[in-house]
Amino acid sequence: MSLASLVRDRLFPRDVYYGWYIAIAGAGSSFLILGITIFGFGVFISRFQEEYGWSVKAIALGFSLRSLEQGMLSPFMGYVMDRLGPRRVAVIGGVIVAASLFIFAQARTLPVYYTASIVMAIGQSLGGFSAFTLAAMRWFVKKRGRAMGVISIGNGFGYSVALIIAALFSAFGLHATLMILGVAVLVFGIPLALVIRDSPESLGYLPDG
């Protein structure tokens, strides 16, 4: 037995079907990624206004670009997930989201801000909920609805991330908070993504265990 297998069996005992570990990791990833990029990002509007004097219309354009790009990229991202597998895509998406937060931290002009918005849309489309959803569909058949419900728990709790971001702003300011969030995605989001296995057969399981 390899070292990787020993570590995996320690962290994820085999008396629990591994698909449930993926679903729980998906809840954590949704809480983190969606909480930062969607539910909590509205907190940044007033901060960017105070810091740079940008208008609400100019800031909202960044959100619009993200939404438009996500819609346009959806068919392509589905193809990418089928080609690369949900695990690899979730890792790449997490790295891109972290990179976008680091760019936001340097966004002292609107063109840089819009660039960061576009990069975040790409990472958001690849990582988080979409990748874990595809993994759950492969790992579950009869219990697919239950697994999706577990993953969706993270969406509900994601709204509380706005409170965390607001507290970080008060303590550290705009740029430091964005850097902290980027590091958090790397430190917590990437390990959660690595929990994914592209198919139950890769670990000797059948769907639903």
Side-chain angles (χ1 to χ4, degrees):
M1 183 179 291
S2 68
L3 178 60
S5 299
L6 287 170
V7 172
R8 185 176 61 241
D9 289 343
R10 280 280 187 165
L11 292 174
F12 310 107
R14 291 184 67 87
D15 54 347
V16 176
Y17 178 53
Y18 191 85
W20 294 115
Y21 295 123
I22 295 175
I24 293 169
S29 179
S30 294
F31 169 78
L32 180 68
I33 302 294
L34 298 184
I36 291 173
T37 62
I38 297 179
F39 307 129
F41 216 76
V43 179
F44 289 86
I45 293 178
S46 61
R47 296 292 176 166
F48 280 121
Q49 280 185 290
E50 294 171 9
E51 193 85 10
Y52 304 119
W54 298 341
S55 67
V56 174
K57 186 184 296 186
I59 297 169
L61 179 58
F63 286 80
S64 299
L65 284 172
R66 282 169 52 193
S67 300
L68 176 64
E69 185 184 2
Q70 278 187 284
M72 293 175 63
L73 286 175
S74 293
F76 174 71
M77 293 307 177
Y79 171 79
V80 170
M81 286 191 192
D82 285 336
R83 294 286 295 176
L84 299 181
R87 186 173 195 252
R88 191 177 300 175
V89 166
V91 172
I92 294 170
V95 171
I96 294 175
V97 168
S100 73
L101 289 164
F102 296 144
I103 297 171
F104 271 117
Q106 309 302 319
R108 291 168 174 80
T109 64
L110 282 171
V112 177
Y113 168 75
Y114 294 142
T115 299
S117 298
I118 292 170
V119 173
M120 179 173 280
I122 296 171
Q124 211 177 306
S125 298
L126 288 172
F129 190 77
S130 299
F132 281 94
T133 298
L134 177 57
M137 291 177 67
R138 293 181 176 180
W139 278 81
F140 294 94
V141 178
K142 294 181 180 179
K143 299 177 182 178
R144 186 175 293 165
R146 196 178 307 173
M148 292 302 302
V150 172
I151 296 173
S152 297
I153 290 172
N155 297 7
F157 283 102
Y159 288 95
S160 64
V161 174
L163 300 175
I164 299 172
I165 292 175
L168 289 171
F169 274 142
S170 298
F172 302 106
L174 174 64
H175 303 290
T177 296
L178 287 163
M179 295 296 291
I180 290 169
L181 294 175
V183 171
V185 170
L186 292 176
V187 171
F188 299 106
I190 302 306
L192 288 170
L194 289 172
V195 173
I196 296 176
R197 292 297 183 275
D198 289 343
S199 67
E201 291 80 7
S202 64
L203 292 183
Y205 291 101
L206 293 174
D208 292 312

